[in-house]
Amino acid sequence: MADYLPHTDDDVQSMLAFLGIESLDDLFAHIPQAIRLANGLDLADGMSEPDVAAIFAGYTSANKAKATAMTCFAGGGAYDHEVPAVVKMLSNRSEFVTAYTPYQPEVAQGVLQAIFEYQTLVARLSGLAIPNASLYDAATALVEALNMASGATGRQKMVVSSGVHPHWRAVARTFARGTGHQIVEVPLRDGVTDWASIDVTDAAAVVAAYPNYLGVLEDLSEAKGLATACDALFVVGADPVAAGVLKTAGQWGADVFVGEGQAFGTPLSFGGPYLGLFACTQAQVRRLPGRIVGETVDSSDRRAFVTTLRAREQDIRREKATSNVCTNQTLMAVTAAIQLGWLGTFGLREVATRCAQGAHYLFDELLALDGVEALSTQPFFREFAVRLAKPADQVIAAMAESNVLAGLSVGALCAGADPSVDGNVDDVLLVTVTERRTKDEIDHYVNVLREALTR
Amino acid sequence: MADYLPHTDDDVQSMLAFLGIESLDDLFAHIPQAIRLANGLDLADGMSEPDVAAIFAGYTSANKAKATAMTCFAGGGAYDHEVPAVVKMLSNRSEFVTAYTPYQPEVAQGVLQAIFEYQTLVARLSGLAIPNASLYDAATALVEALNMASGATGRQKMVVSSGVHPHWRAVARTFARGTGHQIVEVPLRDGVTDWASIDVTDAAAVVAAYPNYLGVLEDLSEAKGLATACDALFVVGADPVAAGVLKTAGQWGADVFVGEGQAFGTPLSFGGPYLGLFACTQAQVRRLPGRIVGETVDSSDRRAFVTTLRAREQDIRREKATSNVCTNQTLMAVTAAIQLGWLGTFGLREVATRCAQGAHYLFDELLALDGVEALSTQPFFREFAVRLAKPADQVIAAMAESNVLAGLSVGALCAGADPSVDGNVDDVLLVTVTERRTKDEIDHYVNVLREALTR
Amino acid sequence: MNSVPQPGGRAASAPLMGHETEPTLFEMSVANRSAYQLRTTGVPASALSELVPAAHLNTEIVPVAEVSERDLVAHFTRLSHRQFSVDLGMYPLGSCTMKYNPKFCDAIASDPGLNAVHPGAPASLSQGWLEILVTLEEKLCAVTGMSAATLQPAAGAAGELTGLLLMRAYHESNGDDRRRVLIPDSAHGTNPASVTLGGYEVTTVPSNDRGLVDLEALKGALGSDVAGIMLTNPNTVGLFEEEITGIAKAVHDVGGLLYYDGANLNAILGAVRPGDMGFDIVHMNLHKTFATPHGGGGPGAGPVAVAAHLVDFLPGPKATRVGDGYFNWVAPSRSIGRVHGWHGNALVLARALAYIDVHGGDGLTRVAQHAVLNANWLRHRLRAILPAAYDRVCMHECTLTATPLKNKYGVRGLDVAKALLEEGFHSPTVYFPLIVEEALMFEPTETESVQTLESLAQALERIAQRAKDDPDSLRRAPQSTPVSRVDEARAARQLIATADSARSS
Amino acid sequence: MNSVPQPGGRAASAPLMGHETEPTLFEMSVANRSAYQLRTTGVPASALSELVPAAHLNTEIVPVAEVSERDLVAHFTRLSHRQFSVDLGMYPLGSCTMKYNPKFCDAIASDPGLNAVHPGAPASLSQGWLEILVTLEEKLCAVTGMSAATLQPAAGAAGELTGLLLMRAYHESNGDDRRRVLIPDSAHGTNPASVTLGGYEVTTVPSNDRGLVDLEALKGALGSDVAGIMLTNPNTVGLFEEEITGIAKAVHDVGGLLYYDGANLNAILGAVRPGDMGFDIVHMNLHKTFATPHGGGGPGAGPVAVAAHLVDFLPGPKATRVGDGYFNWVAPSRSIGRVHGWHGNALVLARALAYIDVHGGDGLTRVAQHAVLNANWLRHRLRAILPAAYDRVCMHECTLTATPLKNKYGVRGLDVAKALLEEGFHSPTVYFPLIVEEALMFEPTETESVQTLESLAQALERIAQRAKDDPDSLRRAPQSTPVSRVDEARAARQLIATADSARSS
Ligand SMILES: Cc1ncc(COP(=O)(O)O)c(C=O)c1O
Ligand SMILES: Cc1ncc(COP(=O)(O)O)c(C=O)c1O
């Protein structure tokens, strides 16, 4: 039966004849025998698509947490938002899916214009003038922001609020091994960054999260003030859905905005592919990481789009490039443009508002339960953390039996103690509500949690 | 929230202003008040897509028989064949899905060429030179064949084997009320048409099924002989999958071929939309029902395709048209061309062979059971009928509890006694095996049936 | 194969890259190439010759095609780039209601919970489907003001014929044998064709100078041998038959029935119902009014709804509500029988129900209002270059005429239609209805924005200007399309219906 | 709005109909138009101002876009008609492995059983996913001959940097501080860029006249301060580094590690493994070798596999088989930490596993054989017009040069590339690798038929002929594409990165 190779035996024979050789193996003859694979790959033989589908059916049924089977109250940077059939259909158009990076603009206007529209939306939601064409995810976008900051300031010290998602901080720490950046994490008190506890002098960047990963809305004026005072870049990691109603990073005075764009049309996808949002001020444009699309004209003066400021990029600048990124997450960027086009100005506001309404409704219900305390007294937006009378992972497991994914264990997120939480992190549950959650689902959640705690 | 109407209130106001009228209602003012709807439609208000989806989730879960939940051994003109992702993706391209009938060939070459390729495949599988561009389904295709026959012979008598699917015969009887055709149904003996029992003189058409609906492969020479003898058209309703390996209708001497094309890429779909296959000899081309696409050239002499022989059609010929069909099943025809392109010459043969292998394996296993008898001693292809010791509907219900859709009750298909079966039809079960059924599934079937019979 | 093989297909055949023709699947075929993959079954692989007598086996191998999956994908993707569609742009084909087709309805129809259900499964195992059919029937009756409906007819024409058979059964049940059915001269071709298949003769009723049925002429044509009349209202010119109640009375007075061709139902949703106009039988084109995509020519669905006195004759078996929350198949007492192999185009029916639920009564009413608003806006906007055949308020479509352009510059309606293709719009319906000369019938539908209507108007203004400046260029149009004007005469003269047909030139 | 509104979009912007530009989403927007529909939740709709302190609320409304669903669909469908893709035709971009992407893998990735799983769900509730990750890791190790792998890197470049950090961690663990990483002058730009981010300095090693690393020069560049070398093998010219074992020994002798850039892995599947060549660290581009569609520039996945001595340093937590049939997250003992926000581009990883399972060991071996066969056939077929930079057997891609055309007719490689677009093919990679002048690097991949290769060859012959007859026409090419040659300089001179950017001209 077929795989995806077109050549028939006759094709192969006549092609070999054309080359004047005997066998396919002759094409590999110049590879030293000593290292050639004697007995082929140690893998099973090929199977037909339906046979492979049967194997995958086993995997999917073992994924008990799928949002189609469990009501999702987990967030922490990955959100269960509505994605309509129209957005799926358009973003699956094979012209978008099976194209390469638009290196030949004459036949890539579809992707280029879609990215240009995406860039416009990122600029508007971030309140910053210069977006890029996407990065891998929010965590790696933060790393690029730190690299930009050290490029701009010539300094290595990165002052990072521990309100920034624990995984993002972890990724920043990992890449600091290469860049030599010194990552200083600022603790939270009552869910708010205790900037005063840290000396920011010589900082290249001051990094805040908005809302922070525990859901809390921090007033960013203090952080901005510190950044300005020490000539550091002010980097804000913001929830782009919140940007539909809350102040933008730009309005808070950010020099760089990073964020996770998964919320815009990309399914939960077990964490990837997601979408790293990035934008900065005009002042930093020459340090922009990755690709950017610009408007221009063709030889008949028709509007056209093209990837531009290429001189920053690795293929031209090589070791002096602003970043090593090449393949990015274009398809997710195109999807975000489509999803935002579907939501529109007021749809995005409506989604943001409903998230906040649902989260606050659930929060109030939960505080009425014994064994549940708010982790912070501060305002929050669409998610919040509570301290439970039992370990969060036990509660999550118990509630899963009633098909509720209760949220995320902050202990698991932080892999142990973390400056963002005073005291034991393992009892802390991070709970999220999106516009898809109904009142019945929320009320059910409350009952199921009550049981789980009293068991 | 939005439905699919673009106009804003401002749009409506300015458009009314442009027309110099006050309100939308003014546009309907010329409709007599007496008949205007006073209080609007007696329907609930609109709901959002996700709310409607929730309602449909209720419907789908109530469909216990879905092939995703029950192993399907039902056939009788609707088959559970493999449809790969690639065929679904291509046939869902919105250019094919959202186009109208190709009345403007300059911008419809995509659909026109796909139909041309479909026509070529229908001609090859039927062994007849003149295909059309599709009809509603096999049953209505048979009616068109009878109309063609009376047009060709000027006669009204239609001699139809009761081996023809009971529903097709029922549809033929219904439309005969208008055309005045006299439908004479020929009984089966031991599963084979007893032509001798009927006087065929003055017949306009002699109609046989291949295989017949009980799965039996009849030798069509006798029927062909009778048709020739009385100058009737010989109409053969054949299984197009079988045509991958068995003699074609053309090889049996058919003047007209009709068949059900669902097997080529269209899901079970609860019976529709399906695909009415139709082809005839060159001699009948002027009586061809429905559309046909022909090859020609454009004004720069490039190959082009266009709907042709339009003078036969209702929009031009009106009451003298060869048929009243206008909208047909083009999308299913395009899908069939894609599915057949995927199967290819040897894939179609492989599917046909596997169907036969599975059906014969199951047949042999079943005959070993007490309470199961073959209805016929004759050869069969991919489905067969057995007489059970219990009513078929009871057995189907019992086996459904083990997630097996056992087949079709011939009693239900025929809505009571039928010339195709001697004696009680309610004990007769029609069983089908496709290439998708595994040995394990078949063995499971045998065990479940044994239980059902001994309960 | 020789070492310099035949060239294969490439994207030059897609308008994106140029205007080459795409090879056929058969021209792309290479012996022994294949794409199919089947599951491993473990079923004993006995030779076919052991299972089936030799007399039945085809000694020849029927050639299908032999292409790789990659070439299959490239071929049909390129063909799709040679095809205009609603999703690409405005498709103002009069009488066809080419509105936007919600992708949500596609998603509903592609749910295995609906499309993987065998039509022969017992009612107890397909309750969801039966409820869908019953619910849709109820809602279609509410929309049309009728008592019950059959969902079996696969398209409008099938609905017409079904309706005529119901008419016949009704008269026969009254021992009353009638011969003629009246049809206005503006009627769609399927109407007379269906009348013939229904066993009746057509009597054509002329339209008056207002584009409406001439009531006097109608009365003249009536008689006790008249089984009924088929009307489209609004009619095919896009005008409402204002004298409909008078027409209904006259026909009913001679014992005839009124048949409503629902192709134009989009115009009157929530405003007026065929039942209230006096119609006895109504067919609907779900693929028009209820937004099922046309699929390049089909599938559709043509349910037929009837008044109380015809309910017992409906085709069957019918999905029926039998006691609380349970549904079963029931045949009407005097049913004319089946008109479809199974239950009709079920997935199209499910789509229509989803469409109705999303819109609701309020939304459907707005659908009609905006469809009518758009048609009138366009009629008024274009009056200077393409006058309306009947210049007054129209319904959901407007019939304009190119006669002025023809008389002044010798540019025909067809030329305007072809030039419009170059402008990025599908053309309107041309030369229909037959009673209007050089007819260009535009049906914008409610889903097009006023901005798009304005684009269309400006395109037509450019074309009118070209008619003046360079009429020849219009007669040569279109040029920028995948192929230029097609030689239809040649196609008919020498039929090449398959890749295997003999080619003379 | 005035009664003559702004015109809206239409299909004239799709090549199907012509070459107008498509308006932007923002140009199509109209105040208060919308498309979104949300479910009814019943949650109390308290005012936002009651939930969030005023200090946080944006007093301005951020404009997104205001279009109807119908216009949204038309806009992006038309844009898709202005975009070339693998599904439309051959895409022989050297180094990018633009093979056919099986739709089956798309279907796997769009199964809610995979794509609706939250990445933070406990292992006990996502066992299917963990098993997929563990199984893929095992199979990628079998393909590369390594001991273990991380699946976190989101693309090749991320894999490179991860690999360099592993190199650094390894040396540091030996208390051994090294400064330089060697890179051949033919290397891809991501290699040097990654080296810098890894905290190392780049030392460039020249290639010899056979297009291979100059072993003597390499030895000269080696020293105890060398952390390692990054190699692509076959290299970016498409040639196999025949002296790889010598290179490996030399680098290892000074205590350096060998990094394998797996972008060209497609060439050697089943023939030879990086591990057996002596590499310590290997990244793979799943979006190349394992057929994930490139999505117009991404997403990809760049897993990194390592030899035994580096396993403990791998990023984590890693999906790990812990006792029979159960899987959990485990951090390697000396892990460098996370390199991705979650677990990597999971859906891309699932696709790759499905692709590997369908092909199996036998199929993957054939993949490489046919990829190499196609590249050599093309190289040989084109030798008369576009000579190979190094004329001998190549691997999966062939680097040709347009220098003869440039010298004879002043036609540059870029002109040939642009002209090829008019012919319905995507162009090859131009001006890379940098060591070949007027480089045209063709990678046909194994999924293109010899018929398609022949079409490409004939197109290039036509272009070579045009170079002779009408070189200017090539410098003006392409013309039949959605836009003609684009003014890149202007885009860079005056940056317009958003619809809100000030436009000077
Ligand atoms: C007025 C009118 N009546 C009847 C029909 C026939 O409907 P269908 O094409 O669904 O058979 C049409 C559709 O073309 C029509 O426009
Ligand atoms: C040789 C080589 N190395 C590395 C890369 C970088 O891979 P990615 O684009 O996935 O980051 C590429 C891809 O362009 C490449 O061709």
Side-chain angles (χ1 to χ4, degrees), chain A residues 70-84:
Chain A
M70 257 185 215
T71 319
C72 181
F73 288 87
Y79 301 100
D80 179 30
H81 286 293
E82 195 69 52
V83 182

Side-chain angles (χ1 to χ4, degrees), chain A residues 1-4 6-8 10-11 14 18 47-51 85-86 89 93-95 107, chain C residues 1 3 17 30-40 68-69 77 81 87 100 103-104 107:
Chain A
M1 230 171 323
D3 42 32
Y4 311 101
H7 294 338
T8 65
D10 287 355
D11 290 335
S14 60
F18 179 67
M47 288 175 276
S48 72
E49 290 180 351
D51 290 346
V86 64
M89 184 282 272
R93 293 276 308 171
S94 66
E95 297 88 343
V107 293
Chain C
M1 196 188 71
S3 57
M17 298 301 146
V30 169
N32 300 316
R33 201 168 277 169
S34 74
Y36 75 100
Q37 301 186 38
L38 301 175
R39 76 171 47 160
T40 307
S68 65
E69 181 170 317
T77 306
H81 273 244
D87 281 10
Y100 167 67
K103 304 308 165 189
F104 171 69

Side-chain angles (χ1 to χ4, degrees), chain A residues 100 136 326-327, chain D residues 95 155-157 160 188 190-191 232 236 261 263 283 285 287-288:
Chain A
Y100 194 71
Y136 304 137
C326 179
T327 290
Chain D
S95 205
E160 294 171 21
H188 188 266
T190 50
N191 292 186
T232 313
T236 62
D261 175 336
H283 95 251
N285 298 65
H287 44 300
K288 296 178 179 185

Side-chain angles (χ1 to χ4, degrees), chain B residues 228-369:
Chain B
T228 313
C230 65
D231 292 315
L233 293 196
F234 184 40
V235 177
V236 175
D239 176 348
V241 169
V245 290
L246 303 186
K247 282 190 182 161
T248 63
Q251 287 169 322
W252 284 111
D255 299 288
V256 185
F257 154 82
V258 298
E260 178 49 65
Q262 175 269 336
F264 296 146
T266 295
L268 289 164
S269 311
F270 205 55
Y274 277 10
L275 174 59
L277 305 175
F278 191 99
C280 64
T281 57
Q282 183 68 44
Q284 304 302 331
V285 65
R286 301 281 147 192
R287 290 189 194 85
L288 189 75
R291 286 191 284 271
I292 184 170
V293 168
E295 180 184 316
T296 181
V297 297
D298 75 355
S299 59
S300 345
D301 215 41
R302 289 174 296 201
R303 176 168 68 188
F305 300 93
V306 64
T307 55
T308 189
L309 304 185
R310 303 269 292 107
R312 304 160 298 110
E313 289 185 64
Q314 45 72 27
D315 54 330
I316 293 170
R317 242 330 188 38
R318 304 186 67 86
E319 60 264 43
K320 297 197 180 46
T322 56
S323 162
N324 67 333
V325 68
C326 177
T327 291
N328 57 19
Q329 309 281 122
T330 301
L331 188 60
M332 282 67 231
V334 171
T335 301
I338 297 168
Q339 173 84 0
L340 281 166
W342 173 76
L343 278 174
T345 303
F346 293 96
L348 179 61
R349 292 179 71 80
E350 185 65 25
V351 165
T353 305
R354 289 180 180 218
C355 289
Q357 288 165 341
H360 286 78
Y361 173 70
L362 177 55
F363 180 77
D364 296 344
E365 296 290 313
L366 289 188
L367 289 199
L369 300 181

